[in-house]
Amino acid sequence: MCYVWYNHDYQPIRAKTVKLCTIMYVAGLMWMVGDFQMNGLVELTGAWKSCRVWVVWVRILSSYIYSGMLMIRFYALERIFNQSKPYKGRAMYIPAICLVVVLLAYCLSCQFVEGKYISEYFDYAQICVVDDRFRYASIGLMWVPWTVVLVLAARLRNIQSTFNERYESLVICILAYTILIKTTVIHATHPFYIFEKSYRQSETLIDAVCSCMIILLMLGYPTYQCMFRRDEYEKEWVQKLRKDGVVKKYSGNLQVGSASGYSQMDGSTFNSPPKTNYFEKDPIDTIHMSLNTHMSANFITQPTVAHRRPAVEFSALHMNSVVSLDGSADTNPAYPWHII
């Protein structure tokens, strides 16, 4: 995660909503710590005996934050790609505020309820035992965000392959429902699983592995490419962005190596797409159009023959950057060696 933030300006990484992924990562760590205490994998002495704090404010709350952040991330993708609307302002803050209010209301309610109705510490076993009413209420509430995630994942299935969201969403849902169904079944069929070592260990292990795999699935591939094929992959990524027709979801400047004008889904600006449709055309057609436009406006003042270049480059009217056919940008563009 430190490496991801160090390379936060790398465009394929920025597209993965790094801020939300970071919150999920921290929540996943706290979730695992809460599992250690709730499942009796650490000796409950001293501060570890505060069952209500660890169960409600660490284990339960962190698992809700994890699923809630994933739900907000899918909502951001749904709003940008399916609804073609910006993810900023009220659209960004209202879901987050609603999530915070619901979670705080539930946790505060648990805090002010008598301890025996939430979780109690039994000294003879050195373990915290959860009340059945609290158990089923918490599991029922956990189904809500994961159900929303499943619905949004189904709606995101048609996103172009540039971001791999179609396949990522499918695998994320499989991992998430592995956690959810496992937790529901174990608590429903073995309410006192806490006294069986194998159940306690499997409960903690599955939660930790699946939550870490979801984060790795979202950030792993662009991070790997950033480590070993940084410039090459970014160039391929931008080219594929144009090819898939997703460029209209972003601002006009997609210049490789530049972060300016890039539409972020993690809570910054969203610029309206350029009104021209040059980017969605074939590169050769774009060259024809730009040159015809320039000639009709008596814009070409340079000789029609110049030294040869390995790639034909052009500066198109209404475009925000100088782009070559191979997707690279050149601050000193050469005119085409012949007029097409």
Side-chain angles (χ1 to χ4, degrees):
M1 189 58 69
C2 292
Y3 183 85
V4 168
W5 271 104
Y6 183 76
N7 294 276
H8 179 249
D9 289 336
Y10 187 60
Q11 295 189 63
I13 289 180
R14 289 179 66 187
K16 293 298 181 178
T17 57
V18 178
K19 291 180 182 178
L20 292 181
C21 290
T22 302
I23 297 175
M24 289 177 60
Y25 180 77
V26 175
L29 291 178
M30 297 304 297
W31 183 355
M32 184 171 60
V33 173
D35 265 344
F36 286 157
Q37 193 276 348
M38 185 176 175
N39 294 330
L41 298 181
V42 293
E43 186 177 355
L44 302 187
T45 59
W48 292 103
K49 291 183 179 180
S50 303
C51 296
R52 195 200 307 256
V53 173
W54 289 102
V55 172
V56 176
W57 293 99
V58 179
R59 169 60 174 82
I60 299 299
L61 180 60
S62 59
S63 64
Y64 289 160
I65 292 175
Y66 187 94
S67 58
M69 290 300 103
L70 189 60
M71 179 178 63
I72 289 177
R73 180 178 184 270
F74 277 23
Y75 166 73
L77 294 171
E78 156 72 16
R79 185 171 177 85
I80 290 174
F81 288 97
N82 287 343
Q83 300 180 18
S84 298
K85 296 179 180 179
Y87 177 62
K88 65 176 183 178
R90 288 184 298 177
M92 181 175 64
Y93 292 114
I94 289 179
I97 292 173
C98 291
L99 177 66
V100 171
V101 170
V102 170
L103 295 185
L104 284 179
Y106 182 74
C107 292
L108 287 173
S109 299
C110 296
Q111 183 66 35
F112 293 111
V113 172
E114 191 176 350
K116 66 179 182 180
Y117 297 118
I118 303 299
S119 180
E120 280 190 301
Y121 176 76
F122 288 85
D123 191 59
Y124 70 90
Q126 291 189 340
I127 209 164
C128 290
V129 177
V130 177
D131 183 75
D132 285 342
R133 285 160 289 192
F134 172 73
R135 182 199 314 273
Y136 297 128
S138 298
I139 293 176
L141 184 59
M142 189 181 298
W143 274 87
V144 175
W146 287 124
T147 302
V148 176
V149 166
L150 182 64
V151 172
L152 292 175
R155 290 180 56 83
L156 294 174
R157 67 186 183 277
N158 293 325
I159 288 183
Q160 297 292 338
S161 59
T162 307
F163 300 98
N164 295 320
E165 296 295 345
R166 179 187 308 173
Y167 308 106
E168 286 184 12
S169 300
L170 175 62
V171 178
I172 286 173
C173 285
I174 292 174
L175 293 173
Y177 272 82
T178 298
I179 298 174
L180 187 59
I181 293 174
K182 175 268 306 175
T183 301
T184 303
V185 170
I186 287 182
H187 283 269
T189 59
H190 297 79
F192 296 102
Y193 77 93
I194 197 71
F195 296 103
E196 299 184 36
K197 186 177 180 180
S198 59
Y199 281 105
R200 288 183 293 162
Q201 291 177 339
S202 62
E203 173 84 356
T204 304
L205 181 62
I206 294 175
D207 286 348
V209 170
C210 290
S211 60
C212 289
M213 286 183 65
I214 290 175
I215 301 293
L216 183 63
L217 183 67
M218 291 189 294
L219 296 176
Y221 185 73
T223 303
Y224 172 84
Q225 295 292 346
C226 181
M227 288 179 179
F228 301 105
R229 299 180 63 246
R230 183 182 179 91
D231 295 334
E232 295 87 345
Y233 179 71
E234 188 175 26
K235 183 188 298 183
E236 294 170 3
W237 188 83
V238 172
Q239 287 178 330
K240 199 167 192 306
L241 200 69
R242 294 193 179 99
K243 179 181 177 182
D244 287 347
V246 192
V247 68
K248 62 184 179 181
K249 306 296 182 183
Y250 296 86
S251 60
N253 189 359
L254 285 172
Q255 182 172 318
V256 175
S258 171
S260 61
Y262 189 82
S263 173
Q264 302 175 32
M265 288 179 287
D266 56 1
S268 64
T269 59
F270 182 95
N271 298 323
S272 299
K275 294 182 179 179
T276 177
N277 61 352
Y278 287 168
F279 286 117
E280 299 180 1
K281 293 182 175 295
D282 183 82
I284 299 300
D285 292 338
T286 305
I287 295 176
H288 278 290
M289 292 175 62
S290 68
L291 291 176
N292 290 336
T293 302
H294 289 179
M295 287 188 293
S296 63
N298 296 321
F299 194 76
I300 297 181
T301 59
Q302 298 291 331
T304 58
V305 179
H307 62 281
R308 288 178 176 269
R309 297 279 290 180
V312 178
E313 297 174 333
F314 62 93
S315 176
L317 194 62
H318 309 304
M319 285 188 176
N320 295 329
S321 61
V322 179
V323 187
S324 66
L325 288 182
D326 60 358
S328 62
D330 193 346
T331 56
N332 298 307
Y335 286 87
W337 60 271
H338 70 281
I339 299 298
I340 301 177

